[in-house]
Amino acid sequence: MKIGVLALQGAVKEHCQALAALGIESLQVKYREELDQIAGLIIPGGESTTVGKLLVRNQMMEPLRELGRQGFPIFGTCTGMILLAKDLDGIKQPGIALMEMTVVRNAFGRQIASFEAELDISEIGEEPYKAIFIRAPYVTSVGAGVQVLSELDDKILLVREGNLLAAAFHPELTADYRIHQYFVDICRQQRRLSA
Ligand code: GLN
């Protein structure tokens, strides 16, 4: 099983390394044809307006939306979370727009470039998870089908809607790969379902 990392912009290599540490082969994805070769896709952090434009230019926006609707696993981190949201609190920019949630960009303030926080994420185990945030978004509200996996001070930071997973932080920047493992498990489950 191969998992793709969208390689249009952003922290691509680190996600590939995280997958390798879990024994999973990765593919850096730039073109739509490559989507056929992977069991799921990670959309890394970067700049969501840029990645959105590049997805449109490479004619991947519609295919990804369709795949996501059909159960193909997509994990959006930071920029990826923004691209997966159906609502950006009034802001209009190109997105895959699959998850029933409202996301605010740069929600911790533009000045707060980066910080760390300990999160409780019971789905991945008891041990607290150290999350790294970089000009991060957060989720302010979710629809009925969206599972909130972690929140801190009323800010929703990790969510799942079936085959779709989104994190406000950067799981590829720590050596704690439990969230990647969680996504790998989603990919395995979906593969079994569609086999
Ligand atoms: N602020 C960026 C955006 O709006 C996201 C930052 C990140 O991905 N680390 O896309």
Side-chain angles (χ1 to χ4, degrees), residues 19-46:
L19 291 169
L22 298 172
I24 301 289
E25 209 184 323
S26 60
L27 178 71
Q28 298 198 13
V29 172
K30 290 197 177 74
Y31 304 104
R32 58 189 286 183
E33 298 72 32
E34 291 162 328
L35 296 172
D36 300 337
Q37 303 167 35
I38 52 175
L41 180 71
I42 297 176
I43 303 179

Side-chain angles (χ1 to χ4, degrees), residues 44-49 77-80 82 93 105-106 110 133-137 168 170:
E47 176 57 45
S48 58
T49 47
T77 66
C78 206
T79 276
I82 297 166
Q93 63 182 59
R105 289 182 62 195
N106 301 308
R110 282 185 173 274
F133 295 80
I134 303 173
R135 284 186 234 286
H170 284 259

Side-chain angles (χ1 to χ4, degrees), residues 60 115 136 153 195:
M60 291 169 90
F115 63 95
D153 305 331

Side-chain angles (χ1 to χ4, degrees), residues 25-93:
E25 209 184 323
S26 60
L27 178 71
Q28 298 198 13
V29 172
K30 290 197 177 74
Y31 304 104
R32 58 189 286 183
E33 298 72 32
E34 291 162 328
L35 296 172
D36 300 337
Q37 303 167 35
I38 52 175
L41 180 71
I42 297 176
I43 303 179
E47 176 57 45
S48 58
T49 47
T50 307
V51 179
K53 278 183 204 147
L54 293 173
L55 281 173
V56 172
R57 194 192 69 184
N58 288 9
Q59 297 175 311
M60 291 169 90
M61 199 66 105
E62 196 46 51
L64 270 177
R65 197 173 293 136
E66 197 40 49
L67 279 170
R69 279 199 195 111
Q70 291 166 5
F72 176 77
I74 305 177
F75 177 22
T77 66
C78 206
T79 276
M81 170 184 259
I82 297 166
L83 289 165
L84 283 173
K86 280 196 178 168
D87 182 57
L88 294 180
D89 202 27
I91 293 177
K92 292 268 176 278
Q93 63 182 59

